[in-house]
Amino acid sequence: MDLLLDFVIVGVSIGIVYGLVALGISLIFSGLDIVHFAHGELYMIGSFLGIAVISFTGVPYFWALIGAMIITGVLGVVVERVFYRRLTRGGGGYTVAGMGMIICGFGMSVALQNVAYLLWGAAPHPYPVSFGMPIFLGNIALPKSYLYILICALVLMTVLHTFLTRTKLGLAVRAVAYNKDTSYLMGVNVPVMISLIFGVACAMAAAAGVLIGPINYVQIEMGYLMLLKAFAAAVVGGFGSLPGALLGGILVGLFETLCAGYLIASYKDIYAFLLLIVVLMVRPTGLLGILVKVKA
Amino acid sequence: MNRYPPKKTGNGVRNALLAFTAASLVAGASAASAGVIKVGVSLRMKTETGEKYGQMVADEFEAINAAGGVNGNTIEVKLLNDECKSDIGVANATKYAYQDNVHLFIGSSCSSVSLPIVDVLHKAGVPMLIPHSTNYKITLKGSPWVFRVPISSRFSAAAAAKYTAENIGTKIAYIWASDAASQADAQKFYEYIETYHGELPVYAEQFQEGELDLRAHLLKIKSLKPEALMISAQSQDFARGLVQSYEVGIPPSVKRIGGSAASNRPAPILSGDAIKGVFFHAAFSFADPDPKVQEFVKMTAERYGVANPDHDFSQAWDSVHVARVAFERADLALTDDSLAADRAAIRDALGTVTGYVTLGGGVVDFCADATPECRDGNKTPVLIEYTKGGEDYELRVIGKTTFDADFGLAGMEEEAMKLRESLDN
Amino acid sequence: MAERAAGQAASLRFVDSVERSLARLREIHPLMPWVIAALVLAPLPWLLGNTYHVYLANFICIMILLSVGLNIVKGFCGQVTVGHVGLYAIGAYTAAVMSVNFGTPFWISLPIAVGVTLLAGMVVGTPSFRLEGAYLALVTLGLGESVRLFISATEYLGATNGFSGVPAPRIGEFRFDTYQKYYYLVMPVMLLGVFFSFQILRSRLGRAFMAVREDPVAAAASGVNVRRHKMIAFMISAAYAGFAGALYAHMIPGYLNPRNFTVIEMVTLLLMVVLGGLGHIWGGIIGAIIVTIVYDITKDYYHYSLLMFGMVIVLTVLFMPKGIGGIIDRFIATRRFIAIREREAARARAGGAASGAGERGSGDAA
Amino acid sequence: MLSIRGVATGYGKVQILRGIDMSVSEGQIVALLGGNGTGKSTLLKAISGLLPVWDGAIEFEGEPIQNRRPNEIVKRGLTQVTQGKDMYPAMSVEENLRIGAYTRRDRAGVTADIGKVFDYFPVLGERRRQLAATLSGGEVQMLVIGRGLMARPKLIMLDEPSSALAPRIVLDIFSIVNRISRNEGITILLVEQNVRMALLLAEYGYVIRDGVIHIEGDSRDLITDDNVRLAYLGGTVTDAGADAGTGLAH
């Protein structure tokens, strides 16, 4: 019983991290109609930027989180403006709209990884912050870093949710996510909104990167596996649904931990993909994806 | 820093004499006798220190050239990156063998890359000096062209296993990362315990490289209450596993053991205090008070900015100097037509290198037979314990063991035969 | 101006003469151009400077098989799949397991490998019934990665130690155990693959694929069984991967490692197909050749290789979405259009007010 | 108020409009008629800035607005009401209306205007908290018209408000549109396939065909014109103007 409870804690805590990255992926998907295959790299770069902020300014961890989010957000806007904008505006044709975007994402992913390599090298970097030993509840260990992640993730979720539902700008973002032409006719400056969405999504990825930094040393290859898990999370929760992304992350984390715990542990990573594939085949809209557009 | 042992074997003397006569004969015939010995290096360069190993190899050969070369010949080094991917490694080896016409191949870092390269170079007839790969299968293949400077996993893991079984216990749990070296480390470890102490592993599972969360494994291990836990993985995965083993609450009384990659620089830096008390096996420790080691450490700090070099550093250095010994003893014509003969000469000369004392204190003894006994040069693993983690980590040497050349080969005849068969295919 | 026109006319004459001679060859026998191609390519191992170049030629042949296969499902049929490397791995490992663990000769393990990959292609193709675009990309990526992870965690397949000792193919006592000999195995298979790819493109099947690509709904309305054709496209493409995998497994040194089937390889493959031009068979071939050679030449700049790959992919998608193949197509089409226009103008000047109705090829320019 | 001179545009390289001339005076209701694929919606997109104008000029209140961004044009008081299917299904009725007032800064005015829309369309008021996805076809049409009003436009362009609706509901909607036009003093450009209905409501009408204005005139005259019926039915018109665009309008 203790073991099961342990597994649940582990699954939920890693799941929240998946959920945070999935949040950005979901946001980009609903806003720009693209599945961003380079998002894992922005998560990685965000994590590195967190270290850079700490080492340059010496600010505490929390401010490094905010700083990395802002810088990565701006970086995301630049990437979107310079590269993706042409594809989304170009529209039409199978090469450009659907496949072009996906292929472009892959290209961007390896290119960004190489840029990070040139900037920070291949060595894994430890995060200059320590949370100390976990809290022990009887026999069960609860790492503080995961508590921190949980709190931050919930706060970010709430802020994002409030922004989207309670503010005029948030309303415009949702409008753009649903229909760009119509929103343009409402007087919404759609190009700016698209950049905003992309920037916010990248900032979320950076947040995940900085939050996971202390438990996962930062290195240039860290993005890929995380991206796949986050995709699984986004799909399970329903692409385009923000609460779904977090829920999906937790489900993926739980599922893979429990499978690894009670089935063959060596195949741990495959379980997440199996979940992804099964959910996509059986219920492509995911668990919370009620009003999600099923298109590329 | 010239400290290879004196040439002891008659073979070496004869070769040297032959080389001398040949050299003087050629010198008499034409003034421009100096040839170029080409060395091809293929390593995993896109890592923190990978490039520095390669650079050091090139620099060391350059230093030899600057000091007058080898028997009047200069050495030309080419470096290629293989990314620890076998297809790139094979391409590099093929390029060296057929396009660049190298006389000696040095590589690779990763066992999974060295394994297929053995076949390629066997076919091409190029001597191969391995600086880092430890997987026991590499020499088990029985190619006459293969020589290994580092310690085969059949020795090193056994040394750690022997120490563990005698001092800690035999109820051991294992997790290892999905790379060939880590896997071999863990596998040889529990095979030793099984063979000599009759105890099966409490837990033995593999995880993916770069895996974020090892706690699913560790929780299961925690519930099995082992006496020791071996985490065999590349440094960052090892560090993560180590920290998480404390996070899930495996008590400190359970001894943590690392694989050979635990010696790599990032491991103690990343895992901080968690690494204290962890021991692992390696070929070298920078904490060795031996002046020769301290001189080497000073050199790497000055030239490459690495104040605490790991054993991959020392082995790359050793490989260069083993190669030099061979070059000195080989009878080389170094003309366009003599490529095959020169390669064979270098191979034979490598086979005569004995008594070369490595920086780690082990002795490299090669012999002419194409057997693991002959080609696994160094048989002396060092057991090292971390006494302090972090940037300025500290180590202490627990001890060294030298194994018999045929240790660990019992029961491997069938595997060896299969490997040898595939070599000829 | 006159010079340019002359140049254009000359290039057009060249293209026309090539096409005419190809057509003449095809009249003798449909396979004739390919036999000639084989004859032209046959002395390559002697012409190339050294064995390493022959090795590269072999490797290029395998890559061409892969990229031409990927082009069928991606370029012809418009299905986004990024799990192709997984199929390649399945082909390679099946052939390897068959010949090492069951001792079957290459000639039996090859069809078995292709068969198994075909089945795997069916598995990868099934999601395409329900999903499209990015969703499909996700599933195929997941499947491809699962294959790699499964291999690297399965002891029977050598796990991360790799699977070694795959024997070279043999006919009687003759063994394809050098790169030179192997070339004569890989090159014909590659040519056959390209030939079939052209046949498919020209056949009803190819047209149905393109109908599915352009507009699945319209295709279904005009009587194309969309599901079946998607499935067929995936299976054909998988078969190509199976051939490529089996040939790769049996090539010296007969060693497989899951590290060689990662997403980086997938990106390289994507680069080949995209750079060459999606939907252009020649594109896939040109892409495979260019990428392999450029990669070899730039080996020393490994620090920047991924940046280069990535940026070439991104820039190709942005600025020449149809790739090199598209540029060549447009080049020929424009030349032909200009020629026709000039001919018509000349005819108009001559007073012959012919309607130009029977003029072939005028549609190419559109 | 709105004058269009020689506007030509199209999608990609395919030209749709081949020189449109028309004008809308203040306070008028003007109908733009034409069959499917004649270029009506293309013209609207060109006016509201969604499509680049290749040639010609569009002036609104004397200022050129061609090739301006749609959001700037909306700010000038020119709003397009798209077809009913373009509402935001995942937002509530009230949120849909609020997004219509995105360009406005006066909160109180917006709230008041929401009330006004509910006055015109009481059924929307009953459903203000519901998701737009749950509305019926007629209600959605009302919603998008109401959303268009929220920007306090000077000129509103209605894109086929009658499409796919029952005649009774169309009549309802048209009468409300008429009322709005009178009460609020909003100029209306009505784009319709339903020729009879549109001409009953409008004062002046244009018939577009193959990318040019084919016929124009007072609605009373047009309603009896045989050519209008032919154009609306999409039949062959033995007219020199029709020849030019054959084959390009689809």
Side-chain angles (χ1 to χ4, degrees):
Chain A
M1 199 54 218
D2 265 5
L3 191 61
L4 178 67
L5 208 58
D6 267 336
F7 282 144
V8 170
I9 289 177
V10 165
V12 171
S13 57
I14 191 73
I16 295 164
V17 182
Y18 297 159
L20 264 182
V21 182
L23 210 60
I25 289 174
S26 237
L27 199 60
I28 292 181
F29 180 76
S30 54
L32 283 78
D33 289 345
I34 57 174
V35 172
H36 190 215
F37 279 88
H39 210 63
E41 280 14 273
L42 285 156
Y43 151 82
M44 175 264 293
I45 288 175
S47 200
F48 269 112
L49 285 173
I51 295 188
V53 169
I54 292 178
S55 59
F56 274 119
T57 62
V59 292
Y61 182 59
F62 178 77
W63 293 109
L65 176 73
I66 304 290
M69 282 177 74
I70 293 168
I71 302 173
T72 316
V74 173
L75 181 74
V77 171
V78 171
V79 167
E80 193 269 334
R81 280 271 158 157
V82 176
F83 296 105
Y84 295 155
R85 180 57 57 86
R86 301 178 62 93
L87 291 174
T88 41
R89 192 175 45 196
Y94 74 99
T95 26
V96 175
M99 210 179 292
M101 204 61 229
I102 293 164
I103 294 171
C104 201
F106 272 102
M108 193 52 98
S109 152
V110 291
L112 284 177
Q113 192 175 325
N114 204 149
V115 169
Y117 167 74
L118 295 174
L119 284 176
W120 292 295
H125 293 239
Y127 238 81
V129 54
S130 171
F131 287 104
M133 282 288 120
I135 305 163
F136 282 92
L137 307 165
N139 237 347
I140 295 154
L142 190 62
K144 281 184 201 145
S145 48
Y146 282 97
L147 272 179
Y148 201 83
I149 289 172
L150 178 66
I151 293 164
C152 285
L154 288 179
V155 168
L156 283 173
M157 262 299 296
T158 319
V159 168
L160 194 62
H161 193 258
T162 318
F163 166 69
L164 287 179
T165 51
R166 295 272 177 268
T167 66
K168 196 166 131 185
L169 207 58
L171 197 64
V173 166
R174 278 159 68 209
V176 170
Y178 193 74
N179 189 328
K180 284 168 199 60
D181 276 1
T182 308
S183 307
Y184 233 149
L185 294 176
M186 298 296 118
V188 178
N189 194 340
V190 174
V192 171
M193 287 300 145
I194 288 179
S195 292
L196 178 73
I197 293 174
F198 207 87
V200 169
C202 292
M204 295 305 262
V210 176
L211 284 174
I212 206 165
I215 44 171
N216 173 37
Y217 319 108
V218 187
Q219 54 183 323
I220 54 164
E221 290 108 352
M222 71 194 260
Y224 179 63
L225 203 59
M226 175 53 80
L227 178 82
L228 292 176
K229 299 277 175 74
F231 272 145
V235 164
V236 169
F239 241 122
S241 154
L242 299 185
L246 208 56
L247 182 74
I250 293 173
L251 280 178
V252 169
L254 265 180
F255 182 76
E256 70 168 17
T257 311
L258 289 177
C259 283
Y262 294 106
L263 303 174
I264 306 168
S266 299
Y267 296 147
K268 183 173 173 228
D269 290 327
I270 300 180
Y271 299 126
F273 299 141
L274 282 182
L275 190 64
L276 164 91
I277 292 161
V278 168
V279 168
L280 271 182
M281 293 304 293
V282 176
R283 192 179 153 84
T285 53
L287 298 179
L288 292 190
I290 304 152
L291 281 167
V292 171
K293 305 158 284 177
V294 182
K295 64 176 185 181
Chain B
M1 297 185 63
N2 175 4
R3 60 179 74 81
Y4 59 90
K7 301 163 204 166
K8 280 188 286 193
T9 58
N11 224 357
V13 174
R14 199 192 62 212
N15 276 347
L17 276 175
L18 274 173
F20 179 70
T21 13
S24 50
L25 277 175
V26 175
S30 85
S33 71
V36 174
I37 305 173
K38 292 183 201 148
V39 178
V41 183
S42 172
L43 295 173
R44 181 185 202 170
M45 306 262 236
K46 253 172 135 173
T47 65
E48 186 195 11
T49 39
E51 204 176 7
K52 291 171 182 164
Y53 304 149
Q55 196 52 49
M56 181 178 65
V57 170
D59 290 348
E60 282 298 308
F61 277 123
E62 218 35 64
I64 295 169
N65 285 341
V70 180
N71 301 337
N73 298 317
T74 50
I75 300 165
E76 188 186 304
V77 191
K78 290 199 85 175
L79 294 175
L80 284 178
N81 173 37
D82 63 32
E83 252 333 80
C84 205
K85 286 194 172 188
S86 67
D87 54 352
I88 304 181
V90 165
N92 288 351
T94 316
K95 187 171 192 165
Y96 280 141
Y98 296 106
Q99 182 168 306
D100 298 334
N101 292 328
V102 298
H103 297 94
L104 175 70
F105 176 88
I106 296 183
S108 158
S109 317
C110 298
S111 295
S112 53
V113 182
S114 296
L115 274 166
I117 290 180
V118 169
D119 294 50
V120 172
L121 295 183
H122 177 75
K123 209 146 242 156
V126 180
M128 173 182 185
L129 189 61
I130 296 167
H132 296 149
S133 306
T134 54
N135 192 298
Y136 64 94
K137 283 186 191 166
I138 293 170
T139 45
L140 203 60
K141 284 193 174 189
S143 165
W145 299 93
V146 175
F147 298 86
R148 163 148 63 192
V149 173
I151 300 152
S152 168
S153 56
R154 72 189 157 102
F155 300 131
S156 51
K162 188 165 183 284
Y163 177 81
T164 313
E166 284 164 8
N167 297 295
I168 296 154
T170 51
K171 270 187 71 184
I172 303 166
Y174 307 85
I175 49 173
W176 66 87
S178 58
D179 62 89
S182 303
Q183 193 193 3
D185 267 348
Q187 202 181 329
K188 288 289 134 191
F189 198 114
Y190 65 69
E191 276 174 12
Y192 178 91
I193 303 270
E194 215 177 308
T195 319
Y196 293 94
H197 298 270
E199 186 93 52
L200 286 170
V202 181
Y203 184 89
E205 287 284 2
Q206 175 180 295
F207 61 88
Q208 286 300 314
E209 283 175 85
E211 174 66 65
L212 266 189
D213 202 313
L214 304 170
R215 290 181 295 165
H217 297 281
L218 295 166
L219 283 171
K220 274 167 122 177
I221 292 171
K222 180 185 164 190
S223 66
L224 296 168
K225 299 195 167 46
E227 289 164 330
L229 162 67
M230 183 189 195
I231 303 168
S232 175
Q234 298 300 320
S235 45
Q236 64 269 29
D237 293 343
F238 166 74
R240 197 175 299 135
L242 200 58
V243 172
Q244 288 179 359
S245 78
Y246 285 99
E247 280 183 1
V248 299
I250 297 178
S253 61
V254 176
K255 188 80 174 168
R256 270 77 165 172
I257 306 161
S260 59
S263 67
N264 290 356
R265 247 176 70 77
I269 297 174
L270 294 174
S271 40
D273 292 337
I275 207 159
K276 205 176 156 193
V278 171
F279 78 88
F280 60 93
H281 56 82
F284 161 86
S285 158
F286 72 86
D288 199 330
D290 187 332
K292 166 177 93 170
V293 172
Q294 289 315 312
E295 196 183 332
F296 175 73
V297 172
K298 213 176 118 210
M299 185 274 286
T300 60
E302 277 168 11
R303 275 208 262 162
Y304 308 104
V306 179
N308 29 24
D310 53 23
H311 74 168
D312 283 351
F313 238 121
S314 79
Q315 286 168 344
W317 195 90
D318 286 332
S319 301
V320 171
H321 291 276
V322 167
R324 180 175 58 163
V325 176
F327 292 154
E328 280 171 359
R329 294 181 189 180
D331 170 18
L332 301 172
L334 297 176
T335 60
D336 288 346
D337 303 325
S338 69
L339 184 64
D342 289 339
R343 284 170 172 177
I346 290 173
R347 175 196 66 189
D348 294 339
L350 275 169
T352 65
V353 175
T354 50
Y356 173 89
V357 183
T358 66
L359 288 171
V363 178
V364 172
D365 285 314
F366 288 132
C367 45
D369 288 348
T371 55
E373 289 94 323
C374 273
R375 301 308 174 86
D376 285 337
N378 191 347
K379 301 161 185 72
T380 313
V382 187
L383 283 183
I384 303 164
E385 189 180 56
Y386 280 104
T387 52
K388 186 170 173 242
E391 270 303 332
D392 50 346
Y393 61 92
E394 282 165 16
L395 300 167
R396 100 188 153 84
V397 178
I398 299 177
K400 295 175 189 172
T401 332
T402 305
F403 286 88
D404 294 337
D406 61 348
F407 176 85
L409 287 177
M412 275 196 213
E413 291 81 6
E414 201 188 336
E415 193 178 0
M417 214 170 69
K418 252 174 90 181
L419 284 171
R420 215 166 303 140
E421 227 171 70
S422 75
L423 194 62
D424 297 326
N425 255 318
Chain C
M1 212 43 210
E3 263 175 47
R4 212 177 129 202
Q8 280 172 349
S11 57
L12 183 67
R13 266 200 302 283
F14 173 71
V15 170
D16 276 346
S17 65
V18 169
E19 293 219 330
R20 262 198 306 278
S21 43
L22 276 178
R24 263 204 300 278
L25 287 175
R26 236 177 254 124
E27 272 166 31
I28 304 170
H29 192 277
L31 269 173
M32 205 55 195
W34 304 97
V35 173
I36 305 243
L39 288 178
V40 170
L41 287 175
L44 200 63
W46 283 290
L47 297 178
L48 290 174
N50 59 53
T51 310
Y52 176 62
H53 290 156
V54 183
Y55 160 82
L56 278 184
N58 288 350
F59 198 71
I60 288 174
C61 287
I62 291 174
M63 285 298 134
I64 287 176
L65 272 177
L66 268 181
S67 66
V68 165
L70 185 59
N71 218 339
I72 287 173
V73 70
K74 231 171 170 148
F76 296 2
C77 202
Q79 300 300 306
V80 196
T81 163
V82 277
H84 208 63
V85 165
L87 293 171
Y88 178 43
I90 290 176
Y93 271 89
T94 312
V97 167
M98 287 315 292
S99 30
V100 173
N101 293 12
F102 297 96
T104 58
F106 172 74
W107 311 106
I108 295 174
S109 61
L110 174 73
I112 291 177
V114 174
V116 171
T117 353
L118 267 177
L119 292 178
M122 275 177 76
V123 175
V124 180
T126 319
S128 71
F129 294 171
R130 293 199 56 167
L131 308 169
E132 54 176 34
Y135 281 110
L136 188 58
L138 280 181
V139 172
T140 49
L141 182 65
L143 284 171
E145 271 299 291
S146 301
V147 168
R148 182 179 71 83
L149 293 173
F150 180 80
I151 292 169
S152 66
T154 306
E155 204 55 51
Y156 183 75
L157 298 174
T160 43
N161 271 323
F163 196 97
S164 53
V166 187
R170 60 165 77 199
I171 306 177
E173 278 309 295
F174 180 78
R175 296 205 326 223
F176 293 90
D177 59 354
T178 63
Y179 291 122
Q180 277 84 355
K181 290 178 193 163
Y182 208 72
Y183 175 78
Y184 293 102
L185 186 64
V186 172
M187 187 268 289
V189 175
M190 180 274 288
L191 278 182
L192 274 178
V194 176
F195 167 70
F196 275 114
S197 170
F198 272 108
Q199 291 302 102
I200 291 165
L201 184 63
R202 292 205 183 96
S203 69
R204 275 188 45 161
L205 195 62
R207 285 196 294 276
F209 284 166
M210 277 182 270
V212 170
R213 174 185 80 191
E214 296 303 336
D215 189 347
V217 180
S222 55
V224 175
N225 186 336
V226 173
R227 285 190 168 202
R228 195 203 297 159
H229 281 93
K230 280 183 181 173
M231 181 60 93
I232 292 173
F234 269 100
M235 285 170 69
I236 294 174
S237 150
Y240 275 87
F243 271 105
L247 286 171
Y248 174 71
H250 284 269
M251 190 165 78
I252 312 159
Y255 176 85
L256 299 173
N257 192 293
R259 258 180 204 278
N260 295 337
F261 304 97
T262 65
V263 74
I264 300 291
E265 277 68 26
M266 189 65 224
V267 171
T268 315
L269 197 52
L270 271 181
L271 175 63
M272 291 174 186
V273 178
V274 172
L275 185 66
L278 275 172
H280 296 268
I281 298 173
W282 285 116
I285 300 168
I286 296 167
I289 296 172
I290 292 182
V291 172
T292 314
I293 291 178
V294 169
Y295 182 68
D296 180 63
I297 295 171
T298 57
K299 256 192 169 151
D300 288 338
Y301 307 99
Y302 59 87
H303 286 302
Y304 309 97
S305 59
L306 284 182
L307 183 61
M308 204 166 64
F309 275 28
M311 284 330 286
V312 170
I313 290 181
V314 171
L315 295 178
T316 310
V317 172
L318 283 181
F319 295 107
M320 47 180 213
K322 296 208 165 109
I324 296 174
I327 287 179
I328 294 175
D329 267 13
R330 204 171 58 197
F331 178 82
I332 295 175
T334 345
R335 295 291 169 282
R336 203 159 279 168
F337 181 71
I338 291 168
I340 286 162
R341 209 173 50 195
E342 274 166 9
R343 217 175 308 154
E344 272 179 357
R347 208 176 304 163
R349 273 198 298 278
S355 69
E359 202 61 71
R360 279 179 57 220
S362 58
D364 287 3
Chain D
M1 186 173 211
L2 178 71
S3 88
I4 297 163
R5 287 191 309 276
V7 163
T9 185
Y11 301 96
K13 285 180 179 168
V14 185
Q15 189 170 2
I16 306 285
L17 301 183
R18 328 174 64 77
I20 299 274
D21 291 293
M22 61 185 283
S23 67
V24 179
S25 317
E26 190 154 359
Q28 254 190 335
I29 299 184
V30 172
L32 176 64
L33 310 167
N36 244 334
T38 48
K40 300 188 306 285
S41 301
T42 313
L43 180 59
L44 283 197
K45 282 185 183 167
I47 297 172
S48 53
L50 287 177
L51 263 186
V53 176
W54 299 358
D55 197 16
I58 304 173
E59 279 181 10
F60 181 65
E61 295 185 310
E63 283 180 52
I65 56 163
Q66 72 267 24
N67 296 335
R68 290 300 182 98
R69 287 185 166 196
N71 51 324
E72 289 175 20
I73 293 172
V74 172
K75 271 187 195 150
R76 288 164 188 262
L78 177 61
T79 298
Q80 182 189 341
V81 170
T82 52
Q83 295 183 2
K85 60 182 193 311
D86 288 336
M87 51 43 169
Y88 300 108
M91 291 186 194
S92 72
V93 169
E94 195 179 327
E95 281 177 326
N96 262 285
L97 293 177
R98 279 192 185 276
I99 191 79
Y102 182 76
T103 48
R104 291 170 57 183
R105 298 257 170 260
D106 53 329
R107 278 173 184 235
V110 170
T111 316
D113 278 5
I114 288 179
K116 210 187 269 173
V117 170
F118 289 157
D119 286 343
Y120 283 118
F121 305 103
V123 64
L124 294 182
E126 292 162 23
R127 306 198 191 288
R128 64 188 296 168
R129 301 256 170 254
Q130 282 184 21
L131 287 189
T134 61
L135 299 184
S136 73
E139 289 161 355
V140 167
Q141 191 57 56
M142 294 173 194
L143 176 63
V144 292
I145 293 174
R147 194 178 61 187
L149 290 176
M150 288 304 295
R152 281 216 181 144
K154 295 170 189 152
L155 191 157
I156 193 164
M157 301 188 286
L158 296 178
D159 193 0
E160 305 205 10
S162 73
S163 69
L165 294 181
R168 239 190 62 80
I169 298 170
V170 174
L171 207 61
D172 274 359
I173 290 177
F174 274 27
S175 68
I176 297 172
V177 167
N178 197 22
R179 232 170 69 215
I180 292 169
S181 167
R182 270 188 289 113
N183 292 356
E184 312 291 327
I186 296 175
T187 313
I188 290 179
L189 175 60
L190 177 66
V191 174
E192 260 304 332
Q193 282 195 52
N194 192 336
V195 175
R196 184 165 293 277
M197 276 285 205
L199 289 178
L200 281 175
L201 183 67
E203 293 148 38
Y204 198 84
Y206 290 89
V207 178
I208 187 171
R209 185 182 159 81
D210 297 333
V212 290
I213 296 296
H214 183 47
I215 309 166
E216 63 175 287
D218 268 1
S219 49
R220 274 184 301 276
D221 300 339
L222 286 179
I223 215 160
T224 53
D225 193 325
D226 282 347
N227 280 335
V228 172
R229 270 182 220 153
L230 281 170
Y232 163 59
L233 293 167
T236 326
V237 181
T238 47
D239 188 301
D243 213 325
T246 312
L248 279 157
H250 340 231

